[in-house]
Amino acid sequence: MTGCFYTSVILSCCLLITAFMYGISNKKTRNNKRIQGYIIYLGFILGIEIIILSSIYILDSETTQSLYPFYVTGEFFILISFFLTELKATKKWQIMTRLIAGYIFIETTIQWYINDDASNGIGKIISHLTIICLAAILLIKNIKELETNNPLSIIYATLFLYYGVSLFLFLIMNQLTEMNISIWIINNILSSILYGSSIYTFYRLKKW
């Protein structure tokens, strides 16, 4: 089981690096305003992963909880901004996004300071539910407008799948301690699907 876990981690990291590098290496995708926010999201996740791995294997840190508030808040803010750009939302929604992001950061920081567990709160639940809802709205919007050839539909679908299942796994993780390694393997497989879909989407955008 441990071997499967490390294999899933390596696969996920390799696909993440490939997706990000592929996204920024091509001028057409890099300058596409519709996908820029998502490329920033991939770069942010890659940066967090590098810091976490460096903290564990180079600095021998016993915990990376201090990074959690930045990770959850950044993930939420970047993805919601990406969705709102696609939806052509008004400034009041952007202001609301900043307020919610601020709440998530404060709540997770307090949880980390008081309980030494930044995930012991509702910040991540709020973040994931919002991401799931907006991804679903964009998918429905594309179906209604018959945008069947929109390459970004794959991104919306895989984000909906990833965050939907991740939220469920997060909610049951504390109750199934002995199965946590299996849950992380599933999470890494979902990440691999998301990053693999990103590579395919960038390829389609080059041809679009």
Side-chain angles (χ1 to χ4, degrees):
M1 186 66 74
T2 303
C4 291
F5 170 73
Y6 284 113
T7 300
S8 68
V9 170
I10 293 171
L11 176 62
S12 177
C13 288
C14 288
L15 287 173
L16 172 58
I17 294 169
T18 303
F20 177 67
M21 295 305 296
Y22 190 37
I24 64 172
S25 64
N26 183 265
K27 185 177 180 180
K28 191 170 183 179
T29 55
R30 188 175 63 247
N31 294 334
N32 189 325
K33 292 183 178 181
R34 294 184 67 185
I35 200 67
Q36 282 177 350
Y38 185 71
I39 294 176
I40 292 172
Y41 163 75
L42 292 176
F44 173 77
I45 298 298
L46 179 58
I48 290 291
E49 291 292 343
I50 291 172
I51 294 172
I52 289 175
L53 292 174
S54 299
S55 298
I56 294 173
Y57 296 107
I58 298 177
L59 302 178
D60 293 324
S61 299
E62 295 182 359
T63 178
T64 57
Q65 282 289 321
S66 59
L67 291 173
Y68 191 85
F70 298 97
Y71 167 65
V72 176
T73 305
E75 173 188 57
F76 169 82
F77 182 76
I78 295 170
L79 272 183
I80 298 305
S81 298
F82 165 62
F83 288 144
L84 292 180
T85 299
E86 275 294 286
L87 291 168
K88 298 179 175 60
T90 58
K91 287 187 177 181
K92 69 176 182 179
W93 291 106
Q94 298 172 0
I95 294 172
M96 189 176 297
T97 298
R98 293 187 180 96
L99 291 174
I100 296 173
Y103 166 78
I104 292 173
F105 181 79
I106 293 170
E107 191 238 33
T108 50
T109 302
I110 291 173
Q111 290 294 333
W112 166 60
Y113 182 76
I114 295 176
N115 302 318
D116 292 323
D117 185 359
S119 63
N120 188 22
I122 63 170
K124 186 168 185 175
I125 296 174
I126 292 173
S127 172
H128 278 37
L129 282 175
T130 308
I131 292 169
I132 292 166
C133 289
L134 288 181
I137 289 170
L138 281 166
L139 281 171
I140 294 170
K141 179 176 178 289
N142 282 354
I143 292 172
K144 286 185 176 180
E145 295 179 359
L146 300 178
E147 292 189 33
T148 53
N149 292 321
N150 185 356
L152 298 184
S153 295
I154 300 172
I155 295 294
Y156 306 147
T158 49
L159 284 171
F160 179 83
L161 173 66
Y162 174 75
Y163 283 96
V165 177
S166 292
L167 177 60
F168 174 74
L169 296 178
F170 172 75
L171 292 174
I172 68 172
M173 184 175 288
N174 291 332
Q175 302 173 21
L176 300 172
T177 306
E178 68 279 5
M179 293 181 62
N180 278 0
I181 190 169
S182 298
I183 290 175
W184 280 113
I185 290 173
I186 295 171
N187 186 74
N188 291 331
I189 291 172
L190 289 170
S191 298
S192 298
I193 293 172
L194 175 62
Y195 304 143
S197 299
S198 302
I199 295 169
Y200 177 67
T201 299
F202 294 151
Y203 172 76
R204 287 190 64 192
L205 282 170
K206 287 174 61 178
K207 306 294 182 181
W208 203 39

